[in-house]
Amino acid sequence: MFKKLLGIKKLEKNFKVVGDSLNRSWQWIDHFNKLNAGYEERINRLEKSNAQLIEVAQELIERLQSVNEELESGPVQEESEPQSVSVVPAKQNLNLPDKDLFLIRVIHQYAAFDKESSLETNTVYDNLTYEITKRGLRKKLNSLVDKGLLRTYKKGNSRHWYLNSGALAKVKKALKSND
């Protein structure tokens, strides 16, 4: 009864709640310590492996430096046999119809060898001496692109054409054989 009057019972109850709360807090702290111990082990392993990697990298750098020093100090040896360059033979016979050759000649005369100097379809069309539709001209030019003689790109709404730099030898040979 004295406990109740003096409020000791209430204090005991509050201390019990505080004690339980502290107990739970210590349980959480222990849990976090266990987790951190696992992380600390992983960190230590990673640090050891990084140290090993650094050692290996330093050894490789030293080896490379020694090889470079040997190459620089050693006599220069030239290869007695030059390396052979394999050349893929181009098709010797370039059989093109006269109209295709005329189109190539027009583009060649305008010196359309790259994108900057390429010809628009209308320019090629205006310089033709035979009758063909613009659609037919585009088809002919596209067939020459497929054969690898011309290249094309689209700028705005118009298509531009120029000679394929890889096929200039074939183009010149075809133009000379026709003359």
Side-chain angles (χ1 to χ4, degrees):
M1 190 151 163
F2 285 114
K3 285 184 177 180
K4 203 174 196 179
L5 286 175
L6 295 174
I8 295 174
K9 210 165 204 181
K10 198 172 202 182
L11 284 174
E12 285 178 346
K13 188 178 179 182
N14 286 342
F15 277 123
K16 186 176 181 190
V17 170
V18 170
D20 291 342
S21 175
L22 282 175
N23 190 21
R24 277 194 308 270
S25 297
W26 280 112
Q27 288 174 352
W28 276 107
I29 290 171
D30 288 340
H31 176 70
F32 287 134
N33 282 336
K34 289 177 185 176
L35 290 177
N36 284 339
Y39 292 137
E40 286 177 9
E41 288 177 28
R42 291 173 89 183
I43 289 171
N44 288 335
R45 280 186 282 150
L46 287 173
E47 286 176 352
K48 287 178 184 176
S49 65
N50 283 343
Q52 291 173 351
L53 288 174
I54 289 172
E55 289 175 15
V56 169
Q58 287 175 347
E59 289 176 14
L60 287 174
I61 289 172
E62 289 173 4
R63 285 184 189 173
L64 285 174
Q65 287 175 349
S66 65
V67 168
N68 283 339
E69 289 172 0
E70 288 175 8
L71 289 176
E72 289 174 358
S73 64
V76 179
Q77 297 177 354
E78 293 184 19
E79 293 181 9
S80 60
E81 203 174 298
Q83 293 178 348
S84 62
V85 178
S86 61
V87 177
V88 178
K91 292 180 182 177
Q92 298 297 328
N93 299 342
L94 187 64
N95 297 328
L96 290 175
D98 291 336
K99 291 183 179 181
D100 290 352
L101 280 173
F102 186 78
L103 289 173
I104 290 174
R105 182 172 284 122
V106 167
I107 294 173
H108 187 268
Q109 286 175 348
Y110 271 90
F113 297 113
D114 55 5
K115 279 187 176 184
E116 288 79 31
S117 62
S118 62
L119 294 175
E120 189 178 359
T121 308
N122 288 333
T123 307
V124 177
Y125 183 78
D126 293 339
N127 288 297
L128 293 180
T129 58
Y130 56 90
E131 291 291 321
I132 190 171
T133 62
K134 287 188 179 182
R135 182 170 183 256
L137 175 64
R138 282 193 306 271
K139 282 187 169 186
K140 282 271 192 201
L141 291 170
N142 278 325
S143 71
L144 292 173
V145 168
D146 292 340
K147 290 179 183 177
L149 298 173
L150 295 180
R151 298 194 111 191
T152 182
Y153 73 97
K154 194 164 187 177
K155 184 177 180 182
N157 288 337
S158 62
R159 189 151 290 280
H160 292 258
W161 310 90
Y162 60 98
L163 293 173
N164 186 357
S165 60
L168 281 178
K170 286 194 265 183
V171 168
K172 288 181 182 179
K173 187 173 183 178
L175 292 175
K176 283 182 182 178
S177 67
N178 194 21
D179 287 340

